[in-house]
Amino acid sequence: LYKLKQCMRGVKVDPSLDALLSCDTRTNEGTEGGYLLNSLAYIKKRGYVDAAAFQSHGGDATNCITREQFDECTHYSLEHYCVLKGKSVIQAEIINSGPVIGMVEPYLDFVLYADGVLDYCSKERLAGYQFVKVVGWGSEGKQDYWLVESMWGKQWGHYGLAKVAIGGKHDRITSGVVAIYPGDVVEA
């Protein structure tokens, strides 16, 4: 939802993550986790609503609103999304269209990250995966890295950002990211 929030063709939108968590129960597991491509397929089919509109109808992370209430909200469409693989392809997408969504394995050193280029040392892996916004890349010394932003906010990492080693033993970003292309406003 990072990119959807970013650009809706001039319309400021705050997509409701709660609507996705509580309403998409067939392909995801609510607050227990889910799958990015399933979530995007759901949004492509149903559209998504603004967080304030969803909450004003009584929806939250564990309670979906009725179909009628959902349909009363202004919907936003998702034009398309695609999976991109490879360093140069991902870099070109970021240059041409902005951030993409990548996945990292949540080892303890990712959770505790503060600075430097992260190439996991910890053997303590947490459950699931963490999706991140890949905003750029760079080099530090001889190590190339992806610059990522987590949903944990500016108190995590280095002001909300981390440098994840490209080609490192746990580099899941280079093997595939998702690019999202928002669509138009669909009035209720």
Side-chain angles (χ1 to χ4, degrees), residues 21 24 26 38 51 53 57 69 89 102 118 128 141 149 151 157 161 172 174 179 182:
L21 290 172
D24 178 20
R26 287 191 179 145
N38 290 356
H57 282 85
Q69 290 171 318
V89 172
L118 178 61
E149 180 182 321
M151 60 187 282
L161 299 171
R172 298 273 187 221
T174 307

Short mmCIF file of all heavy atoms in Angstrom, two decimals, residues 21 24 26 38 51 53 57 69 89 102 118 128 141 149 151 157 161 172 174 179 182:
data_model
loop_
_atom_site.label_atom_id
_atom_site.label_comp_id
_atom_site.label_asym_id
_atom_site.label_seq_id
_atom_site.Cartn_x
_atom_site.Cartn_y
_atom_site.Cartn_z
N LEU A 21 -6.89 -6.18 6.00
CA LEU A 21 -6.71 -7.18 7.05
C LEU A 21 -8.01 -7.87 7.45
O LEU A 21 -8.03 -9.07 7.67
CB LEU A 21 -6.09 -6.52 8.30
CG LEU A 21 -4.65 -6.07 8.19
CD1 LEU A 21 -4.25 -5.29 9.43
CD2 LEU A 21 -3.73 -7.26 7.98
N ASP A 24 -10.33 -9.26 3.59
CA ASP A 24 -9.79 -10.28 2.70
C ASP A 24 -9.44 -11.53 3.51
O ASP A 24 -8.29 -11.79 3.83
CB ASP A 24 -8.54 -9.75 1.98
CG ASP A 24 -7.92 -10.79 1.07
OD1 ASP A 24 -8.61 -11.76 0.70
OD2 ASP A 24 -6.74 -10.63 0.74
N ARG A 26 -10.35 -14.75 2.61
CA ARG A 26 -10.22 -15.98 1.81
C ARG A 26 -8.77 -16.29 1.44
O ARG A 26 -8.38 -17.44 1.36
CB ARG A 26 -11.04 -15.88 0.53
CG ARG A 26 -12.51 -15.98 0.79
CD ARG A 26 -13.26 -16.15 -0.52
NE ARG A 26 -14.67 -16.27 -0.23
CZ ARG A 26 -15.61 -15.79 -1.00
NH1 ARG A 26 -15.29 -15.18 -2.12
NH2 ARG A 26 -16.87 -15.94 -0.68
N ASN A 38 -1.54 -12.07 -3.18
CA ASN A 38 -2.96 -12.30 -2.89
C ASN A 38 -3.64 -10.98 -2.53
O ASN A 38 -4.77 -10.71 -2.97
CB ASN A 38 -3.14 -13.27 -1.73
CG ASN A 38 -2.76 -14.69 -2.07
OD1 ASN A 38 -2.42 -14.99 -3.20
ND2 ASN A 38 -2.80 -15.56 -1.09
N ALA A 51 -8.76 5.06 4.54
CA ALA A 51 -8.77 4.63 5.94
C ALA A 51 -9.86 5.34 6.75
O ALA A 51 -10.58 4.71 7.52
CB ALA A 51 -7.40 4.84 6.57
N ALA A 53 -12.67 6.70 5.73
CA ALA A 53 -14.01 6.25 5.32
C ALA A 53 -14.31 4.88 5.91
O ALA A 53 -15.41 4.62 6.39
CB ALA A 53 -14.11 6.21 3.80
N HIS A 57 -17.31 3.94 9.10
CA HIS A 57 -18.38 2.94 9.01
C HIS A 57 -18.22 1.86 10.08
O HIS A 57 -18.93 0.86 10.07
CB HIS A 57 -18.41 2.30 7.62
CG HIS A 57 -19.04 3.16 6.58
ND1 HIS A 57 -18.35 4.13 5.90
CD2 HIS A 57 -20.31 3.20 6.12
CE1 HIS A 57 -19.16 4.73 5.05
NE2 HIS A 57 -20.36 4.19 5.16
N GLN A 69 -21.91 -1.08 3.13
CA GLN A 69 -21.11 0.03 3.66
C GLN A 69 -19.83 0.20 2.83
O GLN A 69 -19.43 1.33 2.53
CB GLN A 69 -20.75 -0.22 5.12
CG GLN A 69 -21.93 -0.12 6.06
CD GLN A 69 -21.57 -0.59 7.46
OE1 GLN A 69 -20.89 -1.58 7.64
NE2 GLN A 69 -22.05 0.14 8.46
N VAL A 89 17.04 -4.23 -13.51
CA VAL A 89 15.61 -4.06 -13.80
C VAL A 89 14.93 -3.31 -12.64
O VAL A 89 14.13 -2.39 -12.86
CB VAL A 89 14.92 -5.43 -14.05
CG1 VAL A 89 13.42 -5.30 -14.16
CG2 VAL A 89 15.50 -6.09 -15.29
N GLY A 102 9.58 -4.80 -1.68
CA GLY A 102 10.48 -5.94 -1.59
C GLY A 102 10.21 -6.72 -0.30
O GLY A 102 9.44 -6.29 0.56
N LEU A 118 23.58 -4.01 6.06
CA LEU A 118 23.14 -5.23 6.73
C LEU A 118 23.32 -6.45 5.83
O LEU A 118 22.72 -6.56 4.78
CB LEU A 118 21.66 -5.09 7.11
CG LEU A 118 21.00 -6.28 7.79
CD1 LEU A 118 21.69 -6.61 9.11
CD2 LEU A 118 19.52 -5.99 8.03
N GLY A 128 7.76 -15.68 9.49
CA GLY A 128 7.22 -14.93 8.37
C GLY A 128 8.27 -14.12 7.63
O GLY A 128 9.46 -14.42 7.65
N GLY A 141 31.77 1.45 0.90
CA GLY A 141 32.97 0.65 0.70
C GLY A 141 32.82 -0.11 -0.61
O GLY A 141 32.49 0.46 -1.64
N GLU A 149 12.76 1.06 3.42
CA GLU A 149 11.99 1.68 4.49
C GLU A 149 11.01 0.64 5.02
O GLU A 149 10.30 0.01 4.25
CB GLU A 149 11.23 2.88 3.93
CG GLU A 149 10.38 3.61 4.94
CD GLU A 149 9.62 4.76 4.29
OE1 GLU A 149 10.18 5.45 3.41
OE2 GLU A 149 8.45 4.95 4.66
N MET A 151 7.79 -0.51 7.68
CA MET A 151 6.55 0.09 8.17
C MET A 151 6.65 0.41 9.66
O MET A 151 5.70 0.89 10.26
CB MET A 151 5.37 -0.84 7.90
CG MET A 151 5.49 -2.19 8.55
SD MET A 151 4.20 -3.34 8.03
CE MET A 151 2.85 -2.78 9.01
N GLY A 157 15.69 1.49 12.74
CA GLY A 157 16.79 1.64 11.79
C GLY A 157 17.46 2.99 11.90
O GLY A 157 17.60 3.56 12.98
N LEU A 161 15.09 3.95 7.89
CA LEU A 161 15.69 3.33 6.70
C LEU A 161 16.74 2.30 7.09
O LEU A 161 17.30 2.37 8.19
CB LEU A 161 16.35 4.40 5.83
CG LEU A 161 15.42 5.49 5.28
CD1 LEU A 161 16.23 6.59 4.63
CD2 LEU A 161 14.43 4.90 4.29
N ARG A 172 16.65 -11.13 -0.57
CA ARG A 172 15.41 -11.55 -1.23
C ARG A 172 14.90 -10.46 -2.16
O ARG A 172 14.01 -10.69 -2.96
CB ARG A 172 14.33 -11.85 -0.19
CG ARG A 172 14.67 -12.97 0.73
CD ARG A 172 14.25 -14.26 0.12
NE ARG A 172 14.43 -15.33 1.07
CZ ARG A 172 14.91 -16.50 0.75
NH1 ARG A 172 15.25 -16.77 -0.47
NH2 ARG A 172 15.05 -17.43 1.66
N THR A 174 16.63 -8.63 -4.61
CA THR A 174 17.10 -8.77 -5.99
C THR A 174 16.38 -9.90 -6.72
O THR A 174 16.19 -9.85 -7.93
CB THR A 174 18.62 -8.99 -6.01
OG1 THR A 174 19.24 -7.94 -5.25
CG2 THR A 174 19.16 -8.95 -7.43
N ALA A 179 6.13 -4.06 -8.39
CA ALA A 179 5.85 -2.68 -8.78
C ALA A 179 4.34 -2.53 -8.88
O ALA A 179 3.65 -3.40 -9.42
CB ALA A 179 6.50 -2.37 -10.12
N PRO A 182 -1.08 2.53 -9.53
CA PRO A 182 -2.44 2.90 -9.12
C PRO A 182 -3.29 3.29 -10.31
O PRO A 182 -2.80 3.77 -11.32
CB PRO A 182 -2.23 4.09 -8.19
CG PRO A 182 -0.80 4.01 -7.77
CD PRO A 182 -0.07 3.39 -8.93
#
